[in-house]
Each structure stands twice: as structure tokens, then as C-alpha cells.
Amino acid sequence: MPNRLLLKQSIDAALENTALDGFIGAVLFIDLDSFKNVNDSLGHAAGDELLKIVCSRLTKLTKEPDLVARIGGDEFIIQLKDISTEMSEALQIIQSVTESVLKTISKKITIEQSDFYISASIGIVLYPNNADSFKLLMKRADIAMYQAKSHGKNCSVVFKQQMENVILEKHKMISNLYKALEKSEFILDYQPQINGKNNQLVGLEALVRWRSPNGQTIQPNEFITIAEESGLIIPIGYWVIDAVCIQIKSWISHFPILPYITINVSVLQIQDVDFVKNLSQKLKLYDIPAHLIELEVTESIMITEIDETVKTLKKLKTLGVKLSIDDFGTGYSSLNYLKKLPLDKLKIDYSFVKDITIDIETKTIVKAIIAMTKELDLEVIAEGVENEEQVQLLMQMGCNNFQGFYYDKPNSPAYIEKNYFKK
Ligand code: C2E
Ligand code: CA
Ligand code: CA
């Protein structure tokens, strides 16, 4: 099968020609989905066999002058040459080839009497409109392919200029986040958690903000996802833990009774091998009683590496910190994990609280969640409470702790001291 070099020659030639004859061509970047899993679970020999089968199917599907090349482990390119001079016709033909490719790859594959099913994600770039060089063409095909992956795999995406803009924006954001870390541009606000029966402060949730150099405060919704995608959430997360410890240490010396402080922790942080050690060192370094710290993790921690995760959470428990499930009800569908994890608390997601007084089904679900926490001996808190009606209803159901604008917004440490702490 042609390799990258042959493909480059073919595309270089095509780019020269199409500029003259007005024909549209296209490149289909085909990447097998989850091929690594096949290799890991069945061994490399079976993986090779599978690739051969895919090669032969793709070759059968295409005819002269089109070209199929293999450019990496499980990456293939189909170059469709001189498709049409009409854009609409070209797009139709490309679509039909793409459908055939997805179909032929998804057909049953038999290796050593075992049956397998595999799928592919396809990025498509048209030329000469979208690229005047092999390099640019491949880069854009790659961008479109990643879009296909993020659309749930087993599909195709045609490259559009705005995809590149989005990626450029992301890169800019990532490099700015790096700088923000170096220059300590993050700050923490704290949002009160209140016992609705006596209106006493019970906890504070630490929420990170980014004070950008131009004086703007950027909210976490605008950068946490990118921080997670780029792995930067790990150093940012360590900064948050450090900042919370410093804050508690300062508060301890001024105020005799402190609420617990909750810290949001991403899946990636939990999976970081140094997480437990680092937290334990921080608690010692600043002399923080562990029971003042509660970690909020989302249900998504149960999606991968469950055994490892359970181990890590158990270690965290032995440090003495509390564990809470954030955004409860929005994520993982199996409740089985609730029994496996050493949890202290569930935090009912804002989206349920929002509808609880309007929608009877939501009300039923929330009632069931609260009843379940009692059965499992877990604490429960509702987040995003915005009015008295929600508070009353939740208290009737047995939930007494609340966080939300009805009580207070996230605020600076100075505001918290002034309004909540007694000397
Ligand atoms: P979250 O953990 O669910 O935090 C609660 C968010 O809901 C906060 O937004 C808070 O301001 C907002 N909120 C509180 N009460 C109400 C209410 O009554 N109504 C409405 N509409 N919203 C309310 P914020 O501070 O913008 O944080 C957004 C998300 O960013 C957090 O959601 C959390 O997932 C993430 N995040 C914040 N800080 C950190 C952090 O230090 N580490 C990590 N990994 N994630 C963080
Ligand atoms: Ca949270
Ligand atoms: Ca939440």
C-alpha cells in the first residue's frame, strides 16, 4: 500500500493540476476508532491482521485514479482526484464514498475464528480551495478528523475554516493559562453552604477565578474545560489546594470555629499518581486539620480505571478528608459505584433544584435521591438554590443543607470574614 511519501507526490501533482483545470479533489483522513484497545486486548498479531483486512477493504472500494495510502499505525488516506468542477456534485460524490468507507470498515471482521467490529472517524478536506500544500492539507484533514472523533466517532466531518479559528483560540487560551499559573493570576472566591434550619454557615466552597492582566475576571466555566483538555488542571488544581490551605491557616489563627472548605477536584487530578501524597504533604506543611477539607469530585471519576480510583479515594479517606459527589444525577448512569466508593456526601445538581418546584418528575427524582442518601448513610446538600420555595420543598424531603444565590454568591475571603465569622 502506498506510504506517506507516495501520497505526498500524488497530492503535490494534484494541487498543481487542479489549479489549472478547475477540478475539485479531496482527501479523506481515516482513523480507526479505539484501535489501541484491539491491540491491547488481542495482541499485536491480531492487530496487524485487522489492519490488513481494513487495507484490502479500502483498496477494493477505490478505483483509478484515486489513491489509498497508509500513513501511520491505524491511519489511512484516500485521495479522490478530479472529482468534479461543480462543488455540489463534488460534495455528493465525496459523501457517498465516505458512507461506503464507514460501511465497509464497520462490517464484521473475523480473525482466528473470532468476530470483531470496528469503526472509523473521517476528516475530509477539499482542495485546492482549502489548502495549497500537502502539509496544510494534512493538518486540516487532521483537524476535521479530530472533530469527527469528538462528535462521537464512526462519522465524518468536512473541514471548515472556523474549526481552525476555534483551535487557534484554544491554543491562545492554553498559553495564557500557562502564563497565568507562572504569574499567579488565579484567585479563590468562597460560596457559603448553609443549614436551612438554623441559617448557620456549615461550609464554604472554594471556586477559582482568573484575574487576567487587563483587569478582567474570567469565570471558571470559560477555562476549566480547556485546562482539563490540556492537562493544565493538574498544576492549577495543586495551586487551588495550596491556596485553600494558606487561607485556612490564616483563618484558624483568627477565628476559633471554622466551617469545612470544599475543593473541586477533576478526574485528571485524582488520577495523578502524586495527588494523595501532595495533599497529605500540604496538610502537614500548613498544619491543617484534615476534617476541614472536603473534596468534590464528579461522577465521571467512575468512567475509567475504577479499581485505581477506588484505591485512591480510600487513601484520601485515611488522610481524614471528606469526599462528596458534585453535580449528582447528571453523569454516570449506574448507581452501583455509590456502594463501592467511600463517600460522605452527595451534592444534588443545580439542574434538578432549578425545576424542583415546577416539574413533578424532577420533584420525584430529587425525593428519591434524598431518600437514597438516608439509606446509604450519606449526607446531602442541594446546590443552586435560588428561592425560598425550593428551600422549603427540599427541607420537607429531608435535605437541610444548601448552597446557592438564595443565601449568598461566591465572595472574597474578606467578605466571608466580615459577614460570617465570629472572633
Ligand atoms: P460547580 O462546582 O458546580 O460550582 C457551582 C457553580 O454554580 C459556581 O459557578 C457558582 O457560582 C454557581 N452557583 C452557585 N449558586 C448558584 C445559584 O443559585 N444559581 C446559579 N445559576 N448558579 C449558582 P462558578 O464559580 O462559575 O464555577 C463553575 C464551575 O467551575 C464549578 O461548578 C466547577 O465545576 C468548576 N470549578 C470552579 N473552581 C474549580 C476548581 O478549583 N477546580 C476545578 N477542577 N473546577 C472548578
Ligand atoms: Ca463543586
Ligand atoms: Ca456542582
Side-chain angles (χ1 to χ4, degrees):
M1 185 172 259
N3 59 14
R4 194 180 189 93
L5 189 68
L6 275 170
L7 177 72
K8 181 178 182 312
Q9 286 167 0
S10 168
I11 286 177
D12 284 343
L15 286 175
E16 242 170 64
N17 289 337
T18 45
L20 302 172
D21 63 21
F23 268 93
I24 296 163
V27 154
L28 275 56
F29 187 146
I30 303 161
D31 187 289
L32 300 185
D33 298 328
S34 318
F35 177 68
K36 198 179 163 295
N37 290 352
V38 176
N39 245 349
D40 290 349
S41 58
L42 305 170
H44 287 267
D48 285 347
E49 191 56 36
L50 188 144
L51 288 175
K52 274 188 209 148
I53 294 169
V54 172
C55 280
S56 101
R57 286 184 188 176
L58 291 180
T59 312
K60 265 187 211 143
L61 199 97
T62 46
K63 46 185 186 301
E64 278 287 314
D66 298 337
L67 183 81
V68 190
R70 180 164 167 228
I71 56 160
D74 60 339
E75 297 168 341
F76 302 88
I77 298 273
I78 294 180
Q79 182 194 1
L80 301 176
K81 295 181 191 171
D82 300 341
I83 306 171
S84 168
T85 51
E86 292 294 321
M87 183 54 88
S88 61
E89 194 189 18
L91 281 170
Q92 255 175 23
I93 294 171
I94 293 167
Q95 195 192 351
S96 121
V97 174
T98 306
E99 277 166 16
S100 308
V101 171
L102 289 172
K103 212 160 132 193
T104 190
I105 290 179
S106 64
K107 274 195 198 132
K108 186 166 80 183
I109 293 178
T110 309
I111 300 169
E112 289 167 8
Q113 281 125 42
S114 302
D115 295 339
F116 303 105
Y117 293 91
I118 193 154
S119 62
S121 300
I122 306 180
I124 301 165
V125 189
L126 276 60
Y127 62 79
N129 268 7
N130 283 305
D132 55 5
S133 73
F134 174 72
K135 205 174 152 198
L136 189 57
L137 199 62
M138 296 304 280
K139 190 181 136 210
R140 293 183 162 173
D142 196 54
I143 290 172
M145 191 276 290
Y146 269 98
Q147 289 282 322
K149 291 266 186 215
S150 62
H151 287 178
K153 304 178 177 174
N154 193 24
C155 65
S156 67
V157 166
V158 178
F159 173 83
K160 289 196 189 68
Q161 182 59 49
Q162 77 232 36
M163 291 176 189
E164 205 159 62
N165 300 344
V166 170
I167 288 173
L168 287 177
E169 280 298 310
K170 244 188 201 173
H171 282 307
K172 219 162 79 191
M173 181 69 138
I174 292 170
S175 92
N176 285 340
L177 276 173
Y178 264 111
K179 286 184 206 144
L181 254 176
E182 276 171 7
K183 293 195 251 156
S184 297
E185 289 171 0
F186 295 109
I187 54 163
L188 291 179
D189 275 349
Y190 292 85
Q191 187 176 27
Q193 299 183 344
I194 304 289
N195 180 324
K197 290 211 156 149
N198 56 20
N199 285 328
Q200 294 288 309
L201 179 79
V202 289
L204 291 168
E205 177 172 12
L207 293 157
V208 69
R209 279 94 182 81
W210 172 13
R211 278 272 178 77
S212 79
N214 60 19
Q216 223 187 341
T217 301
I218 303 164
Q219 299 300 315
N221 285 337
E222 286 182 47
F223 64 86
I224 291 289
T225 309
I226 292 181
E228 283 173 339
E229 283 172 11
S230 61
L232 272 173
I233 194 67
I234 293 179
I236 294 175
Y238 283 136
W239 179 87
V240 170
I241 290 173
D242 203 60
V244 166
C245 287
I246 292 171
Q247 186 63 69
I248 295 179
K249 190 165 172 63
S250 146
W251 277 339
I252 282 181
S253 60
H254 293 97
F255 307 99
I257 306 166
L258 284 185
Y260 61 83
I261 314 285
T262 73
I263 302 175
N264 291 281
V265 177
S266 295
V267 188
L268 276 178
Q269 289 175 265
I270 292 283
Q271 289 172 349
D272 185 48
V273 283
D274 290 328
F275 186 73
V276 180
K277 195 176 80 193
N278 194 294
L279 179 64
S280 147
Q281 283 170 349
K282 288 280 161 62
L283 295 179
K284 281 203 191 92
L285 177 67
Y286 295 108
D287 199 16
I288 307 293
H291 71 265
L292 286 182
I293 303 276
E294 185 173 294
L295 303 179
E296 285 190 11
V297 293
T298 60
E299 292 164 88
S300 58
I301 55 159
M302 291 315 294
I303 290 173
T304 53
E305 302 182 46
I306 296 172
D307 294 343
E308 276 306 305
T309 305
V310 173
K311 264 190 221 158
T312 306
L313 295 184
K314 283 185 176 155
K315 281 187 207 154
L316 287 169
K317 282 299 299 178
T318 55
L319 290 184
V321 300
K322 285 192 175 185
L323 295 176
S324 164
I325 294 284
D326 200 359
D327 307 338
F328 184 76
T330 60
Y332 201 59
S333 54
S334 158
L335 293 177
N336 216 3
Y337 72 94
L338 286 179
K339 289 186 300 188
K340 291 196 189 141
L341 300 186
L343 298 174
D344 298 286
K345 190 183 287 185
L346 299 185
K347 197 173 201 185
I348 302 173
D349 189 60
Y350 165 74
S351 59
F352 292 102
V353 175
K354 182 167 63 75
D355 294 339
I356 192 173
T357 52
I358 322 165
D359 177 46
I360 184 81
E361 273 144 29
T362 307
K363 187 173 157 184
T364 311
I365 292 172
V366 171
K367 212 168 158 182
I369 293 175
I370 295 169
M372 183 181 70
T373 60
K374 307 283 174 233
E375 283 298 318
L376 293 171
D377 209 15
L378 294 170
E379 292 173 58
V380 62
I381 182 167
E383 74 176 338
V385 291
E386 292 186 349
N387 57 54
E388 172 75 25
E389 218 185 332
Q390 292 165 343
V391 170
Q392 288 309 327
L393 191 54
L394 284 158
M395 284 213 279
Q396 278 169 29
M397 296 174 174
C399 173
N400 296 318
N401 287 338
F402 304 99
Q403 179 180 344
F405 296 164
Y406 174 68
Y407 289 101
D408 220 335
K409 295 193 167 162
N411 267 300
S412 68
Y415 173 97
I416 299 290
E417 288 167 24
K418 187 161 167 272
N419 291 281
Y420 291 92
F421 290 174
K422 294 184 195 77
K423 292 247 182 197

